[in-house]
């Protein structure tokens, strides 16, 4: 093989080799594999052309350029502290934390330069504005409501940047020492007031219960007296009826019966007691025995 033939063969092979290399370069430049956690912003001649999502994507080599690779994972801003003044003129320090993620990279890269700084500044302004609408007691007791309002305001402010605020947290509400001392005094005074109120209510309740007990006892005594009076009235009516039906003899019989009962009680004694008996008592007892004997 002559030298000219060798040059000709190398020339033909070189062309094929160059063509193969060019094809490989075109394929390499035209195929883009985007990770699941990213989105790629493609520019054509310096202008936004498209946004590549996760997976295999195809672009025009040498015309389209992947200019920005944006992570779509959730991010956390560094914890920040903002000074704010409440509605009742108390200076507080609010520790905040914000989580966000980028949903539309084409808006984020072309509308805002420093995303973290812009969000932090927005959050600081919104926190001061919301704290200024509330008293200190409301800030401490309605923290969940305050967080919700801050998150809604931040979401509305960053919507044009293609960003979603996933969570906003108030980590702590700090007060200066003078305010803390004043609040402690107020808390102690409130505790003392509640203790006095509780003691007074207990005494009042005790008096009410005592009065109810006395009223109940009086009612029961009156009821017992009424029952006793009814019984006596009934007994009297029975005696009156017997006298009416049987004449004076029935009344004398009742008197004689009572006298005999009295004698039985005297006989049941232990014999040590001294009893004064009227002179005509024996005659009365004799009459009673006669009447009882006659009745029997």
């Amino acid at each position: 093989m002559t030298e000219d033939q060798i040059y000709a063969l190398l020339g033909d092979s070189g062309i094929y080799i160059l063509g193969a290399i060019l094809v490989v370069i075109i394929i390499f430049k035209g195929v883009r594999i985007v990770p699941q956690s990213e989105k790629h912003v493609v520019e054509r001649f310096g202008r936004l052309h498209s946004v590549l999502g996760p997976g295999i994507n195809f672009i025009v080599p040498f015309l389209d350029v992947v200019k920005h690779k944006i992570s779509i994972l959730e991010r956390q801003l560094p914890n920040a502290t903002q000074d704010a003044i409440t509605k009742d003129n108390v200076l507080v320090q609010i520790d905040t934390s914000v989580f966000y993620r980028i949903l539309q990279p084409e808006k984020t890269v072309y509308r805002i330069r420093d995303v973290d700084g812009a969000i932090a500044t927005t959050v600081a302004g919104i926190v001061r504005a919301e704290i200024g609408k509330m008293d200190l007691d409301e800030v401490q007791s309605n923290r969940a409501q305050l967080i919700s309002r801050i998150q809604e305001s931040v979401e509305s402010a960053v919507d044009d940047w293609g960003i979603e605020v996933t969570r906003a947290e108030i980590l702590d509400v700090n007060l200066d020492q003078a305010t803390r001392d004043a609040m402690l005094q107020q808390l102690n005074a409130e505790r003392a007031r509640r203790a006095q109120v509780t003691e007074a209510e207990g005494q009042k309740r005790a008096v009410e219960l005592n009065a109810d007990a006395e009223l109940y006892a009086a009612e029961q005594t009156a009821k017992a007296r009424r029952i006793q009076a009814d019984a006596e009235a009934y007994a009297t009516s029975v005696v009156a009826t017997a006298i009416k039906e049987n004449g004076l003899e029935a009344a004398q019989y009742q008197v004689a019966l009572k006298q005999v009962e009295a004698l039985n009680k005297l006989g049941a004694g232990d014999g040590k007691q001294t009893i004064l008996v009227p002179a005509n008592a024996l005659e009365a007892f004799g009459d009673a025995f006669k009447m009882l004997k006659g009745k029997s």
Side-chain angles (χ1 to χ4, degrees):
M1 182 178 293
T2 63
E3 186 177 350
D4 293 336
Q5 291 176 341
I6 293 174
Y7 284 135
L9 181 60
L10 291 175
D12 294 338
S13 300
I15 292 174
Y16 291 131
I17 292 173
L18 291 176
I21 293 174
L22 181 61
V23 170
V24 172
I25 292 175
I26 290 174
I27 293 175
F28 180 77
K29 290 287 186 179
V31 177
R32 286 289 181 268
I33 298 177
V34 181
Q36 181 67 35
S37 61
E38 294 182 356
K39 285 186 178 181
H40 292 179
V41 178
V42 177
E43 292 183 355
R44 177 176 293 178
F45 301 115
R47 298 184 61 184
L48 173 65
H49 176 66
S50 62
V51 177
L52 305 181
I56 299 178
N57 297 271
F58 299 94
I59 61 175
V60 179
F62 307 109
L63 296 180
D64 297 338
V65 179
V66 177
K67 194 68 175 179
H68 304 280
K69 296 180 180 180
I70 305 299
S71 174
I72 59 176
L73 295 177
E74 187 174 6
R75 308 179 187 184
Q76 179 184 6
L77 289 178
N79 296 342
T81 301
Q82 288 90 28
D83 292 335
I85 299 178
T86 62
K87 187 178 179 181
D88 51 353
N89 295 324
V90 177
L91 178 63
V92 296
Q93 290 183 339
I94 308 296
D95 294 337
T96 59
S97 178
V98 177
F99 296 81
Y100 74 95
R101 63 178 179 176
I102 297 175
L103 297 181
Q104 298 174 299
E106 65 276 16
K107 292 183 178 181
T108 306
V109 298
Y110 294 113
R111 293 186 179 181
I112 189 71
R113 181 182 296 274
D114 184 4
V115 178
D116 289 354
I119 296 178
T121 302
T122 303
V123 170
I126 292 175
V127 167
R128 292 191 182 98
E130 294 297 333
I131 293 295
K133 299 177 183 178
M134 306 174 66
D135 293 332
L136 179 60
D137 293 340
E138 295 177 346
V139 173
Q140 294 179 330
S141 60
N142 298 329
R143 184 173 297 186
Q145 180 181 357
L146 177 60
I147 291 174
S148 177
R149 290 165 58 180
I150 291 175
Q151 182 172 349
E152 291 177 359
S153 300
V154 174
E155 287 178 351
S156 177
V158 303
D159 184 63
D160 291 339
W161 301 340
I163 296 172
E164 177 190 18
V165 176
T166 57
R167 188 164 70 253
E169 297 290 343
I170 294 180
L171 304 179
D172 198 3
V173 179
N174 299 315
L175 305 173
D176 57 80
Q177 190 60 39
T179 304
R180 291 182 180 178
D181 294 340
M183 291 183 63
L184 181 59
Q185 293 178 359
Q186 181 180 3
L187 180 61
N188 292 334
E190 179 64 18
R191 289 177 178 174
R193 184 190 67 82
R194 291 181 180 178
Q196 292 176 356
V197 170
T198 302
E199 183 179 0
E201 290 179 349
Q203 294 177 354
K204 177 183 177 182
R205 183 58 178 165
V207 172
E208 291 177 351
L209 292 176
N210 189 26
D212 291 341
E214 292 179 355
L215 178 61
Y216 177 77
E219 290 177 350
Q220 294 300 316
T221 302
K223 184 183 296 185
R225 290 179 179 177
R226 184 170 61 250
I227 294 175
Q228 183 178 3
D230 292 341
E232 292 177 354
Y234 176 75
T236 302
S237 65
V238 170
V239 173
T241 302
I243 294 174
K244 183 178 180 181
E245 293 177 355
N246 301 318
L248 185 59
E249 185 178 355
Q252 292 175 346
Y253 175 76
Q254 291 293 328
V255 173
L257 184 61
K258 294 295 183 180
Q259 291 174 344
V260 173
E261 291 177 355
L263 290 175
N264 289 333
K265 291 182 180 179
L266 291 174
D270 54 4
K272 295 181 181 180
Q273 66 271 21
T274 301
I275 302 174
L276 298 178
V277 180
N280 58 349
L282 295 177
E283 297 178 0
F285 291 154
D287 295 338
F289 281 115
K290 289 179 181 180
M291 293 183 67
L292 289 175
K293 185 177 179 181
K295 285 291 183 181
S296 59

